[in-house]
């Protein structure tokens, strides 16, 4: 069973449909007991960091997510769900994140080091590089394309947890893995065959 945490995030249904397509039984829930009974847990997310943390706190989900991590239930954060795993974000000053992993969420620069300009948010397909082996990317070629929609990005404090990066105006930490905690800035549920393989790999953890 895959429990998709329901805190009114915008991409819940598309994530649910993707896992169902892969043959997984899914439940969209904010009930702690149901989440902790699941074999895999997913934290989706689209929107603002501060609003998302407000809903997570309103629904008393932070302690549940911490319990999932403590029990080593495979956990996947998607897009904003990756950013929420960290301490804070420049998008919402003064708002604490989940603090499960160390790093900072900062805004994507509009220009790169050569002075080239970029549209913000990054919307569309971009290629991945793999600085180290990650279980989510088993069977996926270097340079595979996935779909991004974001204005803020992760700079992980521990470089050893970064399993994928992409280049936009800067190098973006696109995916992390720490124990059974996984996360990706891109949307695997919108990333065609590559995205389906990533979700399949997660189900096999």
């Amino acid at each position: 069973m895959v429990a998709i945490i329901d805190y009114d995030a915008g991409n819940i249904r598309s994530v649910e449909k993707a896992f169902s397509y892969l043959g997984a039984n899914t439940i969209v829930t904010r009930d702690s007991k149901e989440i902790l009974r699941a074999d895999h847990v997913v934290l989706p997310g689209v929107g603002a960091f501060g609003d998302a943390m407000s809903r997570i706190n309103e629904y008393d989900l932070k302690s549940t997510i911490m319990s999932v991590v403590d029990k080593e239930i495979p956990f996947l954060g998607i897009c904003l769900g990756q950013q929420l795993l960290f301490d804070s974000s420049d998008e919402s000053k003064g708002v604490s994140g989940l603090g499960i992993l160390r790093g900072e969420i900062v805004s994507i620069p509009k220009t790169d080091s050569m002075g080239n300009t970029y549209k913000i948010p990054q919307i569309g397909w971009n290629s991945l590089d793999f600085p180290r082996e990650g279980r989510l990317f088993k069977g996926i070629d270097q340079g595979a394309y996935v779909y991004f929609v974001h204005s803020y990005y992760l700079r992980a404090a521990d470089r050893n947890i970064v399993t994928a990066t992409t280049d936009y105006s800067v190098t973006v930490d696109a995916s992390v893995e720490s124990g059974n905690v996984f996360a990706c800035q891109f949307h695997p549920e919108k990333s065609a065959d590559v995205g389906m393989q990533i979700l399949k790999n997660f189900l096999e953890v």
Side-chain angles (χ1 to χ4, degrees), residues 17-202:
K17 286 175 65 177
F19 279 108
S20 296
Y21 175 80
L22 292 170
N25 293 319
T26 62
I27 183 170
V28 176
T29 182
R30 62 179 67 118
D31 181 87
S32 177
K33 291 180 180 178
E34 290 182 332
I35 293 169
L36 292 172
R37 278 198 299 263
D39 302 302
H40 296 79
V41 176
V42 179
L43 181 68
V46 170
F49 186 97
D51 292 342
M53 281 308 305
S54 177
R55 291 193 296 271
I56 285 171
N57 291 325
E58 176 186 348
Y59 297 138
D60 198 25
L61 287 167
K62 183 174 181 177
S63 60
T64 301
I65 293 169
M66 295 301 187
S67 294
V68 169
V69 174
D70 289 343
K71 290 177 178 288
E72 298 185 345
I73 300 170
F75 180 93
L76 175 64
I78 295 176
C79 194
L80 181 60
Q82 169 170 285
Q83 298 179 11
L84 296 171
L85 295 176
F86 291 83
D87 296 303
S88 61
S89 172
D90 284 354
E91 183 178 23
S92 304
K93 301 281 190 181
V95 175
S96 295
L98 294 169
I100 293 167
L101 301 173
R102 302 278 81 82
E104 56 182 348
I105 309 301
V106 296
S107 59
I108 300 173
K110 294 181 180 179
T111 59
D112 64 16
S113 60
M114 302 295 291
N116 299 307
T117 59
Y118 290 76
K119 291 183 178 179
I120 308 297
Q122 178 186 191
I123 300 175
W125 299 83
N126 209 343
S127 60
L128 295 177
D129 293 310
F130 304 130
R132 76 173 183 89
E133 186 174 340
R135 285 176 284 172
L136 289 185
F137 303 105
K138 180 181 177 182
I140 294 174
D141 293 335
Q142 186 95 341
Y145 278 77
V146 292
Y147 190 80
F148 289 86
V149 182
H150 65 125
S151 299
Y152 293 81
Y153 75 102
L154 164 67
R155 288 200 301 229
D158 180 0
R159 306 309 302 166
N160 290 322
I161 71 172
V162 179
T163 53
T165 62
T166 194
D167 288 315
Y168 196 56
S169 58
V170 292
T171 298
V172 170
D173 292 342
S175 188
V176 296
E177 175 183 336
S178 177
N180 271 359
V181 175
F182 302 82
C184 45
Q185 180 61 64
F186 56 88
H187 288 274
E189 78 281 7
K190 297 179 180 178
S191 296
D193 291 346
V194 170
M196 289 300 102
Q197 183 61 50
I198 290 167
L199 295 181
K200 183 174 182 288
N201 290 340
F202 174 65

Side-chain angles (χ1 to χ4, degrees), residues 1-17:
M1 176 67 72
V2 178
I4 300 167
I5 298 176
D6 180 12
Y7 66 106
D8 303 328
N11 64 328
I12 284 178
R13 295 303 168 192
S14 59
V15 171
E16 180 186 19
K17 286 175 65 177

